[in-house]
Every structure is written in structure tokens, then in C-alpha cells.
Amino acid sequence: MTESPDRHSHGLAPEEIIRVKVKAELRKRLRGVRKTTPIEACAERSAKIVTALEVHPAVVAARTVALFWPMLARHEVDLRTLDTSLRARGVRVAYPSIDPETNDMVFRFVDDVAKLEEAGYGFAEPAADAPVATELDVVVVPAIAVDPTGHRIGYGAGYYDRTLPKHPTATSIAVAYDWQLIAEVPALPDDVAVKVVVTDIRVL
């Protein structure tokens, strides 16, 4: 997703302002490291993440799953083979979509990933008339960094923090390369932790 200034900008206590600054610095550094990671290494790690997801109980039981289409130029985790395997067993797959008027994110079901298109936010998303996924069993979430408690660092716009609470029964799963797992993300009150973290080495 497009890089955005961190939404936490005013009305914060001094300690929270420090957390915002630390978070921004971590985001910058880890994005730089990820960008310099060889694409072949990213592909190998992504394949291990997909394998772990395919056998995770929540994914095995799911009938509806939200994924994200990778921004390969940014070396994001590539879940395209998971899309294929989910559809092969009849799972409905949704992708995030940003409303340009409200700047809110929703998930929309996509029958053909060839119809995903970049719409100004840096990532491929469904058409505006694709059906909204009001109920989801699993939501797979991207991360620039994540900690063992499920708090994550994204691109700073807060899309997932605002959207995940709308799917309280879904199992939210952050995916990241194992080196993106850090001891603690400097979380703020409106940050929403995911329920599961999956890397190429472990599941938390």
C-alpha cells in the first residue's frame, strides 16, 4: 500500500509521541532491509509461509479468506499460490479495496485475480462493483514488522487497524519474513493486534 504519514499526529502524551517516532524509524529501516533482500530469497521464504498457512487450522476450516496481492517491487510476502490452493478447494477469496471518497478499506470477493487492478494506492485491488465480503473466516494481513503479541507495523495509514474490528469473528493472521519479527512494536491505543503471526520459520 502507498506509504502514508503516521496517522497518530496530535493529542498524544509525550510517551506516545516517542512511540510514534520509534515506529516511523522502524518502518523506514525495515522497509530498506526488505527492499535489499534478494527477490529469490523472498520467494523462498514466501513459499514456506504459504505452506504454513495451508495447514493452519483456521485456514483449513475457512470458507472465506481475505488475502492481499503482493507488491513485488517492495518485496512483500507473495501469497499468490495460496490463492490458487484456496480456490481449488472451493474457498471464496477476497482482497482489500480502498474507497477513494471515504478512504475506508473493505474486502471484496474476487472470482478472477486477473481483474485486480492498481487504482492509485500502489497495490492491485478489486473493482468497485465487486461484492463486499461482510463475513470472513480468515484475514491475512501484511506487515513490515510484527511482534509476538500480534502488534504490527504497516505503511502508516491504519487501514487494517480500522478494518479488522469490523470482522471480530475472523482469525487475523499477520505474515512476515522471520527477520521482520521484532521483540516489541511500539503500539498505540488504536493499534489492533492480530491473533496469529506466521513467518517462514514459526507460527505464534
Side-chain angles (χ1 to χ4, degrees):
M1 291 185 177
T2 302
E3 182 78 6
S4 301
D6 203 297
R7 67 199 184 281
H8 309 290
S9 57
H10 60 277
L12 296 178
E15 180 184 341
E16 292 176 330
I17 292 174
I18 292 172
R19 284 177 170 265
V20 169
K21 292 180 178 179
V22 172
K23 200 172 181 181
E25 184 61 27
L26 284 169
R27 179 183 296 115
K28 179 181 177 180
R29 290 187 181 187
L30 288 171
R31 280 195 67 187
V33 173
R34 188 177 68 179
K35 189 68 180 290
T36 59
T37 302
I39 195 68
E40 296 81 5
C42 292
E44 183 178 336
R45 289 175 181 266
S46 291
K48 292 178 180 178
I49 290 169
V50 167
T51 297
L53 287 169
E54 287 176 331
V55 298
H56 190 280
V59 177
V60 171
R63 305 310 302 162
T64 54
V65 174
L67 301 178
F68 60 90
W69 197 257
M71 291 186 285
L72 295 177
R74 296 189 180 186
H75 295 197
E76 281 191 332
V77 173
D78 186 350
L79 302 175
R80 290 177 294 177
T81 56
L82 179 60
D83 177 288
T84 301
S85 65
L86 289 172
R87 293 180 192 277
R89 61 182 182 86
V91 177
R92 295 189 75 191
V93 183
Y95 283 89
S97 173
I98 308 296
D99 186 321
E101 294 184 3
T102 65
N103 207 36
D104 287 334
M105 185 174 81
V106 298
F107 297 107
R108 297 181 183 276
F109 287 118
V110 177
D111 294 328
D112 181 0
V113 293
K115 296 179 181 179
L116 293 171
E117 293 186 352
E118 201 280 324
Y121 293 90
F123 65 99
E125 58 182 289
D129 59 354
V132 174
T134 55
E135 294 186 9
L136 288 164
D137 297 320
V138 171
V139 178
V140 182
V141 184
I144 292 172
V146 65
D147 69 20
T149 70
H151 282 104
R152 48 179 284 281
I153 295 176
Y155 288 106
Y159 290 120
Y160 280 91
D161 291 316
R162 295 194 300 273
T163 305
L164 288 178
K166 299 175 184 177
H167 300 276
T169 61
T171 299
S172 51
I173 304 176
V175 292
Y177 308 126
D178 199 69
W179 57 263
Q180 293 175 296
L181 184 66
I182 64 176
E184 180 185 358
V185 167
L188 289 146
D190 54 354
D191 289 342
V192 176
V194 297
K195 298 174 183 176
V196 181
V197 175
V198 173
T199 78
D200 47 290
I201 292 178
R202 68 194 95 186
V203 175
L204 304 173

